[in-house]
């Protein structure tokens, strides 16, 4: 009898939890898709929140295309990693703008680059989403052409493309 | 020791402590499920298809069971759920410690703190499990419970003690 009561409690509490979880996930703006994108061969891994759906089209999935953009010398490359990582090595000519220091550095950035300047963000590859968050923040600031090079610095370096 | 473990004030303190701990732990996961999903993915133990579902459901199990422990709604069941979760955490962390799997997503930009070492988390979880097992096994009437399903003679702890002392007294010559 005692065990039955305990199991009954477990089912009731779990039931409430499961119901609440799906309900809150459905209504919350921070909610995520029921199945995320966790396959690295398909692109940058992420849970797929409601807000970032739009970024699918902004991804540069091939580092060679990133290089082609780089060669045209129109876009500015932005390093979303920490300042230390940036100092250790970055794509040639890239500007450092870590997500954690965005508020501090954005004013200077806005003065330097007009909103129609094409931007390519990158971080440490497909398991890192700083470049996505940075792209989101820059778009919110009014930048019109923001792309994300999802393979990031490691692949760029591996291909032997220009670094400094 | 037994006297200490049977003390309803001790039970209440421990129950509230783990209750609050789990409610607190659930907040930032609920606020940012995508970040939690990434941590789960980082463990490398779960099939890709289940990662988001775990990230959606687990924080609410923590929240519900934690709240149930604090308010005393099915406290024994809530403790069982909490213990189940803690055992899963311990297994997941141990599995990764044993195979030396470390996940560095390179997400910690700027001044973000480095994560605590896995063995420390493991140690803490074992402590929490100990407390959870104590709350689960507590045999007497619990204080401040809205819905307690176990049947007890509803007499206070001091009355129980007095009864025990009295019965012992009767046996003395």
């Amino acid at each position: 009898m005692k065990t039955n009561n305990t199991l009954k409690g477990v089912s009731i509490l779990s039931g409430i939890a499961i119901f609440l979880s799906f309900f809150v996930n459905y209504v919350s703006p921070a909610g995520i898709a029921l199945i995320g994108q966790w396959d690295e061969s398909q692109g940058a891994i992420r849970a797929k929140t409601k807000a970032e759906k739009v970024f699918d089209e902004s991804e540069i999935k091939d580092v060679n295309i990133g290089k082609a953009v780089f060669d045209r010398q129109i876009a500015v490359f932005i390093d979303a990693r920490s300042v230390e990582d940036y100092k250790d090595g970055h794509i040639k000519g890239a500007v450092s703008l870590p997500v954690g220091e965005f508020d501090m550095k954005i004013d200077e950035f806005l003065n330097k680059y007009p909103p129609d300047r094409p931007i390519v963000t990158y971080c440490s590859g497909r398991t890192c989403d700083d470049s996505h968050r940075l792209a989101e923040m820059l778009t919110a600031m009014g930048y019109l052409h923001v792309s994300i090079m999802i393979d990031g610095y490691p692949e760029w370096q591996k291909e032997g493309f220009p670094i400094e | 020791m037994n006297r200490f473990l049977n003390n309803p004030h001790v039970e209440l303190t421990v129950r509230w402590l783990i209750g609050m701990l789990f409610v607190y732990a659930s907040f930032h996961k609920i606020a940012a499920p995508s970040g939690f999903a990434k941590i789960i993915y980082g463990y490398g133990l779960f099939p890709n298809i289940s990662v988001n579902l775990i990230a959606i459901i687990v924080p609410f199990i923590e929240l519900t069971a934690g709240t149930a422990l604090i308010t005393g709604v099915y406290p024994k069941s809530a403790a069982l759920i909490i213990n189940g979760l803690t055992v899963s955490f311990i297994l997941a962390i141990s599995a990764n410690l044993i195979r030396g799997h470390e996940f560095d997503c390179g997400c910690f930009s700027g001044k973000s703190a480095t994560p605590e070492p896995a063995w420390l988390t493991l140690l803490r979880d074992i402590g929490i499990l100990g407390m959870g097992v104590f709350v689960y096994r507590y045999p007497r009437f619990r204080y401040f419970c809205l819905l307690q399903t176990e049947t007890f003679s509803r007499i206070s702890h001091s009355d129980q003690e007095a009864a025990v002392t009295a019965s012992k007294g009767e046996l003395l010559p």
Side-chain angles (χ1 to χ4, degrees):
Chain A
M1 189 61 203
K2 232 172 152 185
T3 323
N4 275 348
N5 273 338
T6 310
L7 291 181
K8 186 180 141 199
V10 169
S11 354
I12 291 174
L13 293 175
S14 313
I16 294 172
I18 291 169
F19 172 77
L20 267 179
S21 66
F22 284 108
F23 177 74
V24 172
N25 187 62
Y26 182 72
V27 297
S28 157
I32 55 176
L34 295 184
I35 297 170
Q37 201 308 93
W38 301 110
D39 183 354
E40 283 188 41
S41 62
Q42 297 290 314
I45 56 142
R46 62 199 194 282
K48 294 209 272 192
T49 61
K50 288 171 189 167
E52 71 187 22
K53 273 178 194 159
V54 67
F55 287 98
D56 272 351
E57 295 115 54
S58 322
E59 287 186 348
I60 299 175
K61 292 195 167 75
D62 182 346
V63 73
N64 290 299
I65 295 175
K67 176 65 165 47
V69 174
F70 178 86
D71 287 341
R72 290 178 64 194
Q73 295 186 339
I74 300 167
V76 53
F77 279 64
I78 304 182
D79 194 315
R81 303 171 304 157
S82 67
V83 176
E84 294 84 55
D85 286 342
Y86 176 82
K87 280 181 183 157
D88 284 345
H90 54 263
I91 292 178
K92 195 160 192 263
V95 179
S96 169
L97 186 58
V99 171
E101 294 169 31
F102 187 81
D103 293 341
M104 257 189 304
K105 296 190 170 168
I106 186 61
D107 285 338
E108 191 190 333
F109 190 86
L110 281 167
N111 288 334
K112 229 167 161 182
Y113 303 100
D116 58 350
R117 181 82 188 259
I119 287 173
V120 177
T121 65
Y122 70 89
C123 54
S124 349
R126 297 190 170 202
T127 55
C128 137
D129 65 354
D130 279 359
S131 49
H132 285 77
R133 287 167 57 201
L134 187 62
E136 208 170 316
M137 290 160 140
L138 287 168
T139 308
M141 280 290 167
Y143 284 95
L144 301 166
H145 313 289
V146 185
S147 309
I148 307 150
M149 196 172 70
I150 61 174
D151 284 313
Y153 183 67
E155 279 297 312
W156 183 274
Q157 193 184 21
K158 222 171 28 190
E159 292 287 336
F161 294 155
I163 55 172
E164 61 184 5
Chain B
M1 189 66 184
N2 251 346
R3 200 187 149 89
F4 177 75
L5 291 180
N6 281 334
N7 186 325
H9 293 106
V10 175
E11 192 271 344
L12 185 68
T13 312
V14 174
R15 181 154 52 84
W16 278 0
L17 190 72
I18 35 179
M20 285 188 284
L21 201 70
F22 273 82
V23 169
Y24 172 75
S26 72
F27 280 161
H28 73 276
K29 295 175 194 158
I30 289 172
S34 61
F36 183 48
K38 200 154 192 181
I39 293 171
I40 295 165
Y41 166 81
Y43 272 96
L45 293 171
F46 310 98
N48 289 346
I49 199 164
S50 70
V51 170
N52 276 24
L53 292 176
I54 297 173
I56 292 168
I57 296 170
V58 169
F60 279 89
I61 303 256
E62 291 181 330
L63 179 68
T64 313
T67 313
L69 279 183
I70 296 169
T71 53
V73 175
Y74 294 114
K76 202 174 165 75
S77 314
L80 190 64
I81 294 175
I82 294 278
N83 293 344
L85 279 177
T86 315
V87 168
S88 325
F89 296 157
I90 290 174
L91 288 179
I93 297 166
S94 315
N96 279 348
L97 264 182
I98 291 165
R99 61 190 181 134
H101 174 88
E102 252 181 85
F103 178 67
D104 182 40
C105 64
C107 311
F108 298 100
S109 53
K111 35 193 193 288
S112 298
T114 40
E116 63 179 18
W119 62 266
L120 197 68
T121 318
L122 191 63
L123 216 63
R124 193 186 53 204
D125 282 355
I126 290 171
I128 293 169
L129 182 63
M131 296 198 287
V133 169
F134 160 69
V135 173
Y136 175 73
R137 290 177 56 98
Y138 182 77
R140 296 192 182 190
F141 182 72
R142 299 166 200 258
Y143 285 177
F144 289 103
C145 277
L146 292 179
L147 183 60
Q148 191 170 183
T149 51
E150 292 87 7
T151 42
F152 300 97
S153 50
R154 290 195 171 231
I155 52 171
S156 73
H157 177 64
S158 54
D159 286 347
Q160 288 177 22
E161 291 291 311
V164 171
T165 323
S167 64
K168 273 180 187 162
E170 279 171 15
L171 292 173
L172 289 172

